[in-house]
Amino acid sequence: MSRSNMLVVKLRPKMPYSFNSSNLIQLLLDNGWSISNSEGMVAYLPVGDNDSFNWQCVHMTEEELWKIIDVKTENNELIGLQLYWKSDNPGLDLLVSHSRDDGGDYFDVNIGMDLYRKDIISELSLPNYNWYARHILTHFWKKYHISQYSFQSYN
């Protein structure tokens, strides 16, 4: 039986940081993550996907990807992107949505950790949660208030 593992995070902006999805993604890219896999392919959710999760995987430039992210942000669509760690292959499925409540704007960020996952015990499909916290949460903390986070595992 396979197991799915996620990191779920709720982020609020620290002022005066500009609050948009592009800045959130750029923060990860500036800290060791990449948009393309070892074959140079970019996996993303296209404009108008409407939560169908019809992932596309194509060769594209970072500039082309930013245009897609800008349109999806403007349309208030879920942004989906696969990211890859620079040196030792783990990847993640990044899903970002923008919301607002009484406390103001925030991001709901869901991170699937099953793309070349870093495990502590591979036989148990037990992810190395410390590795993901160190390579994701510590970077979010630089620019955002982490109002909630949890690691989740599903069979």
Side-chain angles (χ1 to χ4, degrees):
M1 179 180 292
S2 68
R3 179 179 299 269
S4 294
N5 298 280
M6 299 191 86
L7 168 58
V8 178
V9 187
K10 186 174 184 176
L11 301 172
R12 295 190 183 276
K14 290 182 179 179
M15 298 304 167
Y17 192 65
S18 176
F19 189 74
N20 65 52
S21 303
S22 295
N23 286 345
L24 174 74
I25 294 165
Q26 188 64 54
L27 179 64
L28 293 172
L29 297 181
D30 290 344
N31 287 284
W33 293 93
S34 171
I35 62 167
S36 56
N37 64 19
S38 58
E39 289 84 38
M41 304 288 278
V42 176
Y44 67 99
L45 293 178
V47 173
D49 184 65
N50 297 322
D51 297 337
S52 296
F53 297 95
N54 184 22
W55 290 89
Q56 306 294 305
C57 191
V58 299
H59 287 280
M60 82 168 50
T61 65
E62 200 169 301
E63 182 179 315
E64 291 170 312
L65 179 64
W66 290 126
K67 288 179 184 176
I68 291 169
I69 290 170
D70 289 344
V71 170
K72 289 181 75 70
T73 299
E74 191 174 301
N75 295 342
N76 200 31
E77 294 183 33
L78 179 69
I79 295 170
L81 181 63
Q82 288 185 343
L83 297 178
Y84 305 89
W85 184 247
K86 61 183 173 185
S87 60
D88 52 359
N89 292 330
L92 54 87
D93 294 320
L94 178 70
L95 298 173
V96 180
S97 62
H98 176 230
S99 298
R100 175 181 281 273
D101 62 13
D102 292 339
D105 291 317
Y106 65 92
F107 286 126
D108 279 317
V109 181
N110 292 289
I111 298 170
M113 300 183 298
D114 296 319
L115 187 62
Y116 311 116
R117 185 180 57 236
K118 293 286 274 185
D119 283 339
I120 294 175
I121 303 171
S122 58
E123 295 82 18
L124 299 176
S125 295
L126 181 63
N128 185 340
Y129 294 118
N130 288 331
W131 188 92
Y132 288 95
R134 188 171 59 250
H135 291 85
I136 299 169
L137 291 178
T138 57
H139 302 302
F140 285 165
W141 177 81
K142 294 173 186 176
K143 301 286 183 179
Y144 299 95
H145 295 286
I146 300 173
S147 57
Q148 295 175 351
Y149 76 93
S150 64
F151 288 98
Q152 300 174 4
S153 183
Y154 305 94
N155 284 330

